[in-house]
Amino acid sequence: MVVVESASPRRTLVTFMLILGAAAGLYLIWLLFRLAALALPLGTGIALAFELQDRGYGIGAALAMAFLAGLLLHLAGRHLYAHGGSTLLRACVAMLFLLPAGVAGYYGMTGIVRLFATEGMLVTILPILAAVAAAVAAVRGLDGSSVDAIGVGDRECDDRASAIPASASPASDRL
């Protein structure tokens, strides 16, 4: 007598775990790019926390000041980039934020790629592409275009809204 066995529950569980693992891995790569855009404020905050801890401040005070410094640096960079009068100022602010983001993206992807391969063209190309993507994400974070893309914000208060003629808006055709 030949018994034909269907997919065992163990095989189904392994397949399910592989799918969940792949989804978690993709989520971590997405998170890498999102956090690489905050490399300058985060690095500044960590450096300040260590410096304050070294000078004898408590852990709570050092963490609070580090968080505040990182937040203020990020907000100041966004403000200077959005409302900076000269193109040179905007370019300098963009370079300040995109260089650490590019380095963070490069080394983050290098770590991920080295899990799977030790040599070859992918070990060289993927980290460079990740550095460029992280740098672009950092500048988009300064510009606020990632927030505008999801429809958050007041359109009347936006300085760039006046540059769009009313006739170009599809909503004006329906009114």
Side-chain angles (χ1 to χ4, degrees):
M1 173 192 262
V2 176
V3 177
V4 177
E5 191 174 308
S6 63
S8 68
R10 183 178 174 108
R11 181 178 284 172
T12 306
L13 181 64
V14 169
T15 304
F16 184 67
M17 294 304 285
L18 283 173
I19 292 170
L20 283 179
L26 290 174
Y27 178 73
L28 287 176
I29 291 173
W30 174 79
L31 192 61
L32 168 80
F33 291 121
R34 295 290 293 186
L35 292 179
L38 300 173
L40 179 67
L42 184 67
T44 303
I46 290 172
L48 181 66
F50 281 131
E51 180 64 28
L52 290 175
Q53 184 71 25
D54 207 31
R55 291 182 183 241
Y57 288 90
I59 293 174
L63 288 176
M65 289 302 295
F67 177 75
L68 185 64
L71 181 66
L72 287 177
L73 179 64
H74 181 67
L75 292 177
R78 284 188 71 167
H79 180 74
L80 283 174
Y81 188 79
H83 302 294
S86 73
T87 306
L88 180 63
L89 176 66
R90 289 182 57 153
C92 288
V93 170
M95 290 298 284
L96 276 175
F97 278 82
L98 72 84
L99 286 175
V103 170
Y106 178 83
Y107 283 108
M109 186 57 81
T110 298
I112 292 171
V113 169
R114 295 277 176 156
L115 290 173
F116 303 108
T118 56
E119 59 185 49
M121 196 169 18
L122 284 179
V123 176
T124 305
I125 292 175
L126 283 179
I128 292 171
L129 291 175
V132 171
V136 168
V139 174
R140 286 192 62 179
L142 281 177
D143 188 24
S145 58
S146 59
V147 175
D148 291 339
I150 58 174
V152 178
D154 191 8
R155 196 71 169 147
E156 288 81 28
C157 294
D158 193 3
D159 294 336
R160 296 168 291 180
S162 61
I164 301 172
S167 61
S169 172
S172 64
D173 295 337
R174 287 181 264 151
L175 294 177

